[in-house]
Amino acid sequence: MSQARLMQGNEACAEGAMAAGVNFFGGYPITPSTEIAEIMAKELPALGGTFIQMEDEIAGIAVVLGAALAGRKALTATSGPGFSLKQELIGYGCIAEIPLVIANVQRMGPATGQPTSPAQGDVMQARWGTHGDHPMIALSPWTVRESFDVAVMAVNYAERFRTPVIILLDEVVGHMREKVVLPKAEDIEIYPRRKPNCTREEGYKPYTPMADLVPNPADFGTGHHIHVTGLIHDETGFPTGSSKVTEDTIQRLHQKISRVQDEITHYDEFFMEDAEYAVLTYGGTARTAYAAVKMARQQGIKVGMVRLMTIWPFADKVIKKVAQKVKKILVPEMNYGQLVLEVERAAAGQAAVISLPKYNTEIFTPKEICTAIEELATEVVK
Amino acid sequence: MRSYEKYFRMNRLPHIWCPGCGNGIVMKSIAKAAEQLGLDQDNTVIVSGIGCSSRASGYMNFDTLHTAHGRAIPFATGIKLANPKLKVIVITGDGDCTAIGGNHFIHGARRNIDLTVILFNNNIYGMTGGQASPLTPTGKKATTAPFGSVDTAFDPCELAKAAGASYIARGTAFHAKPLVDLIAQGISNNGFSLVEAITQCPISYGRRNKMGDAAGMLKWMSENAVPLAAYEKLAEEQKGDKFPIGVLYQKTAPEYSAEYAKVIKLAQGGK
C-alpha cells in the first residue's frame, strides 16, 4: 500500500472507505460516481464484504441503512439526481441515529441538467435536503489523496456520532488522476462500532445518550430486541407524542455535533500571514484558486487562501477570524452562489464578501480567479 | 400467560388499531407461526414500512425496525445480506407494498432473497383515513375515489409470481388458523415468500362501501374465499367476487444471499 500509485478521486474514496472498515456497499449506477460502485463490486467480496446493486436510488440508501443496523459499516455513492432521491432516508439516518456514509460526486443540475459536467451545486442540498431540523456533516476533498483521507474520516465520524456523513466530491476531484501514496493500514485509525453499555436485564435502553450525547443502539441479531423507528422516540426507542421528548431529541441531535464542531472543522490556510484579501474555496475549485492566488502574489497582491474541507457544520469561527483580518473575501464556486451566503453570514459585515459564481459546465481557469483577485485589490474599499 | 405471548412486547399493548380492525388477527397469526416454528427471537428481525399494519413491528418482541413509507423490503434486504443467519420478516400494507414500495416488492421477489413478506391487505389507506390503494377493487369507494375507483387493482400474488417469488400464499383474517400455517410455511421457505392476508378495515373501507361492520366483513371473507383447488374448479361465471386462498404457488430457486456467499467464496479463491 505504501508505494506511489496513479489513481482517481473516486477510486481513492472507495479505497479509503474500505480501509476504514466499510464492508457493505449498496447503490445504483450514476455518473460521475459509478466507479465507486464498480470498485466496491470487485473488491468487497474478496474482503468478505457485500456489494449489491439495487433497483433505484432510494433502495440504494435503504439497503445500506439496513446493513448498518445489522452491524456492517456501509457506504452508498451517487450524484445530484440520486442524491435528491435519497434525501428522505438521509433524514431517517439522522433521527434513527444510524451510521452511514453517502458519497455524492456532484454534477451539474438541476434535474438531468448538463450531464455530467462538473458543479458544486449540492452544497445547500447536502445541508438542508432532507425535511426537518437535523445536523449534518459534509466533507469536501480537493485532492485524490485527500479523497482517501476524507473517506476514512467520514466512516469514523458516522460511527462515532451515529449519523449520516456526506462526502461532497465533485466531478473534478472524482475523475481527476494523481500520483498518491496511501497510508499504511496500521497507520489508519478506525473508530469501532459502538456497543451497548449494559444488558437488557440491567435495563438497557438503546437510545440513552452517553456522555458525548450519542446513544449506543445494539446491532440487530445481538439479542437486545431493540426497536428502531423514524418516529420521534424516547430512550427506549419507542415512539412518543411528548413535546418535551421531541424538543429534547431535536436539541440533542444538534448538540452531539455542535459540541465537537471545532474538532471536526478541517481547513487549510495559505499565504494568510500578511493577507489583505482572501479567497475562500473548497473542492475542485480550490485547485484553480491555489494557482490563481500564487499568480496574484507574483504581482505583489497580498492575497491568501482558506480552503475548507469541512463544509458542514459551517466553519463560522474560521470565517469570522478571516473577516477580521482581511478587507475582502472572494468566494469562487461552481454554482450560482451557494456557500458564499454562509460566508457572508459568518463574516457579519467585518469584510466585504464577493461571490464569483460559475455555472456554464466549465471549470474555473487560474486566470479568471486571478483577474477577480486583481479587481478586489484595485477597487476602493467602501 | 398464553404460550405465544413471549413474542409480544406486552408492555406496548394495547395497539392503536380501530375497533373491529383485522390487523390484530394477522399479527397474532405471525406470533403463533413463530411459536409453531420455535423462532429464535435473538435471530429474527421484523421490518415494517409505514401505515396501520406497519405499526405491528413495535408490538412484537424481536429486533424490530419501523422504516419509511414503502421501503421495508430494501431495508430488510440490507439486514439479510449483512447477516444471512437472521430470519427477516417484513410486515407491510397494500399501499406501502404495492404503491410507493411497488418497485422494491418486485425486485425483492426477482432476487428471491430470503424474506417473508406478510402483506396486510385491507384494500385501503387506513391510517390517512381511507384513500384508494392499488389493491382497492375497481368500483369501490374511497375518499380519493368518491365515485368509485376507476383503477384496476393489482393481484399481488400474481405480481410476485411473475417477478420470481418462490412461495406465495393468501389467507384471510376470517381463516385465522390456516393463516398461521401459511405464514409458518412462508417463513420456512428459503427464498422470497409472500403471504397476502386479507384483513378488514370497517372504519375507512367497509363503512364507505356498505360492507357492514367487522363481523359483516369477516362474513364476506368466509363466503368469498375459496381454497385454491375448489376455486380452480369454478366456472368463470361462478367466480364473481370469489378469490383463491391457501398456498397458491411454490418453486425451488436459488436464494440471493446464498448465491452471494458463493461470490465471496469465489473472490477469496475458493471454488
Side-chain angles (χ1 to χ4, degrees):
Chain A
M1 285 275 275
S2 61
Q3 73 266 48
R5 293 166 62 188
L6 180 69
M7 64 195 299
Q8 202 188 44
N10 282 346
E11 199 179 343
C13 177
E15 294 225 6
M18 286 187 281
V22 163
N23 54 8
F24 194 101
F25 182 97
Y28 186 81
I30 184 167
T31 313
S33 79
T34 307
E35 293 87 358
I36 299 176
E38 288 170 343
I39 290 163
M40 289 295 187
K42 192 159 169 250
E43 303 296 334
L44 279 179
L47 304 172
T50 309
F51 167 90
I52 184 167
Q53 181 173 326
M54 294 302 285
E55 55 272 17
D56 60 35
E57 291 279 1
I58 299 172
I61 183 168
V63 77
V64 294
L65 285 164
L69 285 166
R72 299 290 194 97
K73 289 190 177 180
L75 172 76
T76 188
T78 190
S79 185
F83 193 50
S84 297
L85 286 165
K86 291 188 194 304
Q87 291 299 333
E88 182 193 5
L89 292 185
I90 291 174
Y92 191 95
C94 292
I95 188 76
E97 299 184 72
I98 303 172
L100 161 72
V101 179
I102 305 124
N104 174 26
V105 189
Q106 296 166 92
R107 58 185 249 189
M108 195 168 182
T112 314
Q114 195 59 273
T116 51
S117 301
Q120 295 174 302
D122 300 348
V123 171
M124 287 296 169
Q125 188 182 200
R127 178 65 190 89
W128 297 112
T130 196
H131 59 286
D133 290 305
H134 58 281
M136 189 48 68
I137 301 175
L139 308 167
S140 187
W142 74 319
T143 66
V144 171
R145 168 58 201 263
E146 198 181 78
S147 301
F148 181 95
D149 298 337
V150 157
V152 172
M153 196 180 277
V155 176
N156 284 340
Y157 285 167
E159 292 291 332
R160 180 175 157 199
F161 305 121
R162 293 211 48 123
T163 193
V165 176
I166 293 163
I167 303 175
L168 211 50
L169 285 152
D170 52 61
E171 200 274 342
V172 176
V173 177
H175 279 168
M176 179 168 62
R177 288 180 193 276
E178 290 185 297
K179 188 173 100 174
V180 293
V181 178
L182 297 179
K184 291 193 186 108
E186 59 266 31
D187 295 333
I188 297 168
E189 252 183 79
I190 295 179
Y191 196 90
R193 175 58 53 93
R194 299 175 74 113
K195 298 278 182 221
N197 49 312
C198 63
T199 64
R200 225 166 355 131
E201 291 69 30
E202 291 162 348
Y204 171 62
K205 289 180 187 160
Y207 284 92
T208 301
M210 301 292 108
D212 62 357
L213 304 184
V214 182
N216 295 338
D219 292 337
F220 285 166
T222 58
H224 288 83
H225 302 185
I226 73 165
H227 184 59
V228 176
T229 177
L231 289 163
I232 297 275
H233 45 271
D234 61 19
E235 293 184 5
T236 65
F238 288 92
T240 168
S242 154
S243 312
K244 169 102 175 65
V245 172
T246 306
E247 186 176 309
D248 290 351
T249 301
I250 298 296
Q251 205 168 73
R252 178 179 64 76
L253 289 178
H254 283 84
Q255 286 172 348
K256 75 176 179 180
I257 305 301
S258 63
R259 65 187 288 281
V260 293
Q261 177 157 358
D262 289 348
E263 185 197 333
I264 65 173
T265 299
H266 303 281
Y267 67 101
D268 305 312
E269 290 187 339
F270 302 93
F271 318 111
M272 283 299 290
E273 301 75 22
D274 61 344
E276 292 175 11
Y277 309 98
V279 179
L280 187 286
T281 181
Y282 58 97
T285 299
R287 302 296 289 261
T288 319
Y290 184 70
V293 167
K294 283 204 290 188
M295 280 163 71
R297 276 273 165 185
Q298 278 167 6
Q299 297 174 35
I301 301 172
K302 288 188 175 171
V303 60
M305 170 171 141
V306 179
R307 198 274 307 184
L308 298 181
M309 179 212 280
T310 304
I311 305 297
W312 305 113
F314 190 68
D316 282 46
K317 278 192 203 165
V318 175
I319 302 302
K320 206 172 202 169
K321 245 176 68 191
V322 172
Q324 281 163 356
K325 185 179 173 71
V326 303
K327 295 175 195 159
K328 297 180 184 178
I329 304 172
L330 180 72
V331 187
E333 302 176 84
M334 288 187 285
N335 57 42
Y336 202 71
Q338 293 197 10
L339 205 62
V340 67
L341 300 171
E342 284 293 295
V343 179
E344 256 175 33
R345 182 185 58 73
Q350 303 236 36
V353 176
I354 295 109
S355 177
L356 183 62
K358 185 149 190 178
Y359 39 87
N360 69 349
T361 76
E362 289 164 15
I363 63 170
F364 283 101
T365 62
K367 191 160 183 308
E368 263 177 293
I369 297 179
C370 186
T371 305
I373 294 168
E374 288 163 21
E375 281 166 15
L376 287 191
T378 49
E379 271 175 37
V380 180
V381 179
K382 275 181 248 171
Chain B
M1 184 171 133
R2 278 165 287 203
S3 56
Y4 54 83
E5 279 184 12
K6 70 169 186 165
Y7 295 104
F8 284 110
R9 290 170 170 138
M10 298 303 283
N11 63 338
R12 293 288 151 194
L13 296 169
H15 56 64
I16 62 159
W17 297 317
C18 303
C21 173
N23 286 354
I25 300 172
V26 183
M27 179 169 71
K28 180 178 162 184
S29 301
I30 298 170
K32 293 193 86 168
E35 185 193 22
Q36 193 184 103
L37 297 169
L39 270 195
D40 175 3
Q41 282 159 286
D42 292 351
N43 283 303
T44 304
V45 183
I46 301 213
V47 184
S48 64
I50 293 290
C52 291
S53 57
S54 287
R55 283 303 189 97
S57 59
Y59 306 130
M60 307 204 72
N61 195 16
F62 303 89
D63 283 322
T64 54
L65 174 62
H66 180 223
T67 69
H69 198 22
R71 317 303 170 202
I73 290 172
F75 271 82
T77 299
I79 294 165
K80 180 70 190 177
L81 281 180
N83 185 353
K85 77 169 200 281
L86 298 175
K87 269 282 167 203
V88 184
I89 300 168
V90 173
I91 292 177
T92 179
D94 43 307
D96 192 59
C97 182
T98 68
I100 191 165
N103 198 28
H104 311 312
F105 177 54
I106 59 177
H107 286 274
R110 175 177 65 81
R111 292 185 188 102
N112 193 37
I113 186 164
D114 185 21
L115 307 176
T116 304
V117 176
I118 318 293
L119 167 53
F120 290 48
N121 179 9
N122 62 3
N123 308 104
I124 204 81
Y125 286 88
M127 187 159 274
T128 46
Q131 295 76 35
S133 92
L135 301 191
T136 301
T138 310
K140 294 291 184 190
K141 288 183 177 165
T143 60
T144 49
F147 305 100
S149 172
V150 294
D151 288 43
T152 302
F154 270 137
D155 179 334
C157 294
E158 289 295 328
L159 184 60
K161 182 180 165 188
S166 54
Y167 173 89
I168 298 163
R170 183 187 284 125
T172 85
F174 178 82
H175 304 85
K177 220 168 161 230
L179 182 59
V180 174
D181 297 332
L182 294 175
I183 292 170
Q185 286 177 61
I187 295 170
S188 303
N189 174 50
N190 183 32
F192 191 92
S193 304
L194 169 69
V195 181
E196 181 191 0
I198 310 287
T199 169
Q200 75 277 11
C201 175
I203 303 294
S204 290
Y205 181 67
R207 198 169 47 166
R208 191 163 286 115
N209 285 292
K210 310 217 177 326
M211 295 174 77
D213 56 8
M217 294 181 80
L218 285 163
K219 190 160 174 279
W220 179 89
M221 291 176 208
S222 80
E223 289 165 359
N224 287 288
V226 182
L228 179 66
Y231 181 82
E232 282 175 339
K233 286 181 191 144
L234 293 176
E236 276 310 306
E237 63 273 18
Q238 290 174 302
K239 283 183 180 167
D241 277 353
K242 291 193 169 28
F243 57 90
I245 56 170
V247 178
L248 303 184
Y249 182 72
Q250 240 177 327
K251 71 172 178 184
T252 309
E255 189 278 325
Y256 192 90
S257 54
E259 291 303 300
Y260 197 81
K262 292 182 196 165
V263 171
I264 292 175
K265 215 171 160 192
L266 190 70
Q268 292 181 334
K271 279 185 187 168

